[in-house]
Amino acid sequence: MGMDKRTVGLLFNTQKQSAVELAQRLLKWGVEGGIDFLLPPHEAAQLRLPSTMDDAWRKGVEFAVVIGGDGTFLRAARYVFESSDPREQLIPLYGINVGRLGFLAIGDPHSAESDIRAILDGKHSILPRHLVRGEVLRAGVVRHVLYALNDLVITKGAFARAIDIKISVGQRSPQGEANMFAHEELSSMLADGLIVSTPTGSTAYALSAGGPIVPPHVPCMILAPLCAHTLYARPVILSENDVALIAPCGDNRDLMLTQDGQLGYEILPGDLIQVSLEPDLKLNTIMLPQRSYYTLLRQKLQWGYSGMDRGNGLC
C-alpha cells in the first residue's frame, strides 16, 4: 500500500474552528484512504501533530488543499510562490471555502473528500493565475520586490488627506526587463489611493473601486483610483508588456503599499513604485468541472438566475 500512497499538502486557517475541524476530518479520512496529508509547522502546531519543514513540504506534495476563506488562500499562495525554487512555485492549490465570499476558495466543505479524490484521479483542470510584481525604488535602488495574487494598493495613513499621484507607463524590453527611464506620463491625480490589480483581484478591492471584472486567464493588470478628486479619473487596463511607474508626490510620510491586503511596506517621500504583470511566474489553481470560473461568477454575483433558468439559458 505504501507505493500507492498519495501525498497532499494541507493548509488551513488556524483561527477558524470550522477550518480546524475540517482539517481534522480530512486527516482521519486520509489515514483510512491511503492519502498522506503533510502539515507545515504552523498548522501542525495547532493540531499538536508532527510537522513537515517548509522546504520538504514544498518538494513533497502533489498539490495542496487550503481550508478557509479567500484571505487564507492568499496567504497560502504567498507561501507557495515566495519559494526560491521555480519547481516549488508550481504547486497547484485547491481552496475549500469556510469563509464568506469564496472567489478563490471555491470548494464545498460537504464534498471535500469526493473533490480531493476527483483531483487525485485527474478529474480537474489547472487555471494559471497571473501575479503582479511591484518594486519599491528608493534613491534609484530597489528596496523591496513583492508579488501579489490580488493586488498591490497604495493608500494614505490615518489622516483623511488625499495623495498626489503621478502615473507613467512604459514597455518591457524584448529581454523582459522594465526600463524605468522610458515611461510616458499617463495621469496625475489627487486620490485616496491607487489599486494595481491582477485579473484575479478584479473581483476583490478593485471591483468596489469601479474596476471591470476580468477573467483570470486574460493577461493584463488594472489601475483603479480610490476616491479620486476628479470626475475624469477612471480605471485603466494595461497589457502584459506594460510597466507602470507610480510616483507619490509631495512630502507625505504616512503612505503604505499593501500586498494582497495582508502585508504593508512604508513608502517615503521620493520613493517610486514600479509595477507590471509578472512575465514568468503564475500561481496554479485547481478547478473542478462543475465549478468553472463563469459558474462561480454567476453564483457569487447572482447574475441572471431569473432569466436563465429556462431551457438552455438562452433568451
Side-chain angles (χ1 to χ4, degrees), residues 167-171 178-186 242-246 274-275:
I167 305 169
S168 303
V169 178
Q171 288 268 306
N179 182 355
M180 65 173 288
F181 301 107
H183 289 67
E184 181 177 356
E185 184 173 343
L186 170 67
D242 288 328
V243 180
L245 190 67
I246 302 163
Q274 186 166 260
V275 293

Side-chain angles (χ1 to χ4, degrees), residues 70-76 78 151 258-265:
D70 284 351
T72 305
F73 196 96
L74 290 169
R75 285 190 290 273
R78 197 162 55 248
D151 48 42
T258 58
Q259 177 188 17
D260 281 334
Q262 296 181 344
L263 297 178
Y265 302 82

Side-chain angles (χ1 to χ4, degrees), residues 110-296:
H110 299 98
S111 60
E113 290 88 348
S114 59
D115 290 348
I116 294 169
R117 180 59 67 187
I119 295 168
L120 290 168
D121 291 341
K123 299 174 183 177
H124 69 283
S125 60
I126 296 293
L127 176 61
R129 293 178 181 264
H130 297 276
L131 304 174
V132 65
R133 172 189 170 102
E135 296 179 347
V136 178
L137 299 151
R138 187 167 298 159
V141 177
V142 177
R143 297 299 300 267
H144 303 290
V145 177
L146 49 154
Y147 298 90
L149 176 59
N150 262 0
D151 48 42
L152 300 174
V153 182
I154 302 166
T155 54
K156 55 188 175 58
F159 294 100
R161 59 171 73 123
I163 310 168
D164 191 357
I165 302 173
K166 180 182 289 185
I167 305 169
S168 303
V169 178
Q171 288 268 306
R172 192 179 279 116
S173 71
Q175 291 75 33
E177 298 176 350
N179 182 355
M180 65 173 288
F181 301 107
H183 289 67
E184 181 177 356
E185 184 173 343
L186 170 67
S187 175
S188 293
M189 69 181 78
L190 277 172
D192 286 358
L194 180 70
I195 303 170
V196 182
S197 172
T198 65
T200 293
S202 71
T203 51
Y205 197 5
L207 185 63
S208 66
I213 294 175
V214 181
H217 63 272
V218 177
C220 69
M221 64 178 176
I222 303 157
L223 305 186
L226 281 169
C227 300
H229 291 215
T230 170
L231 295 176
Y232 303 107
R234 292 291 182 266
V236 175
I237 293 179
L238 299 181
S239 82
E240 58 186 320
N241 294 318
D242 288 328
V243 180
L245 190 67
I246 302 163
C249 304
D251 60 353
N252 196 324
R253 294 181 175 272
D254 199 20
L255 302 184
M256 291 290 292
L257 176 65
T258 58
Q259 177 188 17
D260 281 334
Q262 296 181 344
L263 297 178
Y265 302 82
E266 183 182 22
I267 300 299
L268 300 179
D271 285 358
L272 299 173
I273 301 104
Q274 186 166 260
V275 293
S276 60
L277 210 63
E278 165 57 41
D280 301 317
L281 180 62
K282 293 184 179 66
L283 181 79
N284 291 325
T285 57
I286 293 173
M287 305 294 289
L288 295 175
Q290 66 273 27
R291 299 191 198 116
S292 71
Y293 171 75
Y294 295 107
T295 299
L296 184 69

